[in-house]
Amino acid sequence: MREEGAAPLVAPDGETPIVVLVRPQLAENIGTTARAMANGGLFHLRLVAPRDGWPQQRAWAASSGADRLLDAAQVFETVDEAVADCHRVIATCPRPRHVVVPVMTARGAAAELRAINARGERVAILFGPERAGLESEDLARADTLVRYPLNPEFSSLNLAQAVMVMAYEWWVAADGTPPRELQTHKTHVATKGELENFMGHLIDELDACGFLRNEPKRPGMIRNLRHWFQRGEVTEQELRTLHGVVAELSRGRMRHGRPEKP
């Protein structure tokens, strides 16, 4: 049922987590789950007793091109059958009760999943049906539970959102993107020498126009200007623009008959 323009989603070598949707109710939710999985680099989808059967064309329509995940989805009658070849089973559960079992956040579970797969072991993550979530019998098949630390006054997620949280944490657990970076495009952050060159230009012109004429306050005013530019991650291109601004202000001052300070 692949649509034209579907993404070329291919699982990497080795083990990656298997997403198991237990008794999913709507085909659209299965499709949006596949989309969330593709966003986070999860490639294996299993369905346990989908309410309306399988396949359902509406799932492909809702997947935004994650067709390959749906094409390869496996269907099982029971949770036991779906996880029979897995070494570990993790289940999402909003309010675990009356069980003695490790409970992790999505972030903690992602690190655990990476470690499990790195050992060559297969692991499944269970997600319950949209209306009521996993039942006690489903949870009994899991050795670890995952609970998302959300607003306790409103922690309701739809199926794709629940999968997206886990997929995101799985992806960033091995992603090298720095938490913060300055997008400079074709320029670069100015060096201290370039900043000092601009500061010299600026101070000369401020002296010439009389802005720094108050001698007692002059050092502090220059320090304030220097701190402003030093902390701002000014780029080389921005400094060139500021040089032009200062030069034009100087020319404009001279055109209006105000000579430079001797």
Side-chain angles (χ1 to χ4, degrees):
M1 295 187 179
R2 187 175 305 158
E3 296 182 357
E4 184 177 351
L9 300 170
V10 179
D13 293 335
E15 292 291 340
T16 55
I18 299 166
V19 172
V20 180
L21 304 185
V22 180
R23 298 180 297 279
Q25 297 170 346
L26 297 175
E28 290 84 354
N29 289 342
I30 299 173
T32 52
T33 290
R35 179 181 182 179
M37 291 171 60
N39 288 155
L42 298 176
F43 300 94
H44 307 295
L45 177 62
R46 296 182 181 182
L47 309 175
V48 175
R51 185 189 66 181
D52 299 327
W54 189 258
Q56 291 285 330
Q57 181 58 42
R58 297 191 310 279
W60 275 260
S63 72
S64 294
D67 295 16
R68 288 195 176 186
L69 274 63
L70 298 174
D71 294 342
Q74 297 176 280
V75 181
F76 299 86
E77 288 297 318
T78 67
V79 172
D80 285 332
E81 293 172 348
V83 302
D85 62 343
C86 297
H87 302 91
R88 296 282 302 278
V89 177
I90 292 175
T92 55
C93 179
R95 291 179 298 277
R97 296 176 180 175
H98 311 301
V99 291
V100 179
V101 65
V103 180
M104 294 184 170
T105 64
R107 188 157 301 172
E112 183 80 357
L113 290 168
R114 290 281 176 184
I116 294 168
N117 285 154
R119 296 194 297 266
E121 297 176 1
R122 184 166 297 170
V123 59
I125 315 170
L126 306 183
F127 294 87
E130 296 88 326
R131 181 171 298 178
L134 294 168
E135 297 177 356
S136 297
E137 286 301 312
D138 304 321
L139 297 175
R141 271 65 182 171
D143 49 69
T144 304
L145 301 183
V146 175
R147 184 180 185 187
Y148 301 162
L150 301 173
N151 177 8
E153 301 299 323
F154 192 84
S155 58
S156 174
L157 297 175
N158 66 34
L159 186 54
Q161 287 174 323
V163 173
M164 184 71 243
V165 171
M166 197 66 251
Y168 171 79
E169 293 294 350
W170 159 263
W171 183 264
V172 299
D175 182 59
T177 303
R180 179 188 182 277
E181 61 181 347
L182 179 68
Q183 184 69 48
T184 59
H185 300 291
K186 295 182 179 180
T187 184
H188 61 264
V189 174
T191 66
K192 298 302 182 182
E194 290 168 336
L195 277 169
E196 192 57 35
N197 180 47
F198 169 72
M199 287 302 302
H201 184 193
L202 177 62
I203 291 167
D204 285 346
E205 294 301 331
L206 292 176
D207 278 331
C209 73
F211 181 78
L212 298 175
R213 60 183 174 273
N214 188 323
E215 285 299 325
K217 292 184 177 181
R218 184 177 184 276
M221 296 169 72
I222 292 175
R223 280 196 302 272
N224 288 339
L225 288 169
R226 194 180 302 278
H227 288 321
W228 179 31
F229 286 105
Q230 291 284 7
R231 73 167 183 260
E233 292 184 317
V234 181
T235 68
E236 178 270 340
Q237 174 61 55
E238 290 167 336
L239 281 186
R240 281 196 278 126
T241 300
L242 288 170
H243 272 296
V245 169
V246 173
E248 283 301 313
L249 289 173
S250 175
R251 280 192 284 270
R253 182 183 67 254
M254 296 183 71
R255 281 198 300 269
H256 286 82
R258 290 173 289 185
E260 295 186 8
K261 182 179 178 180

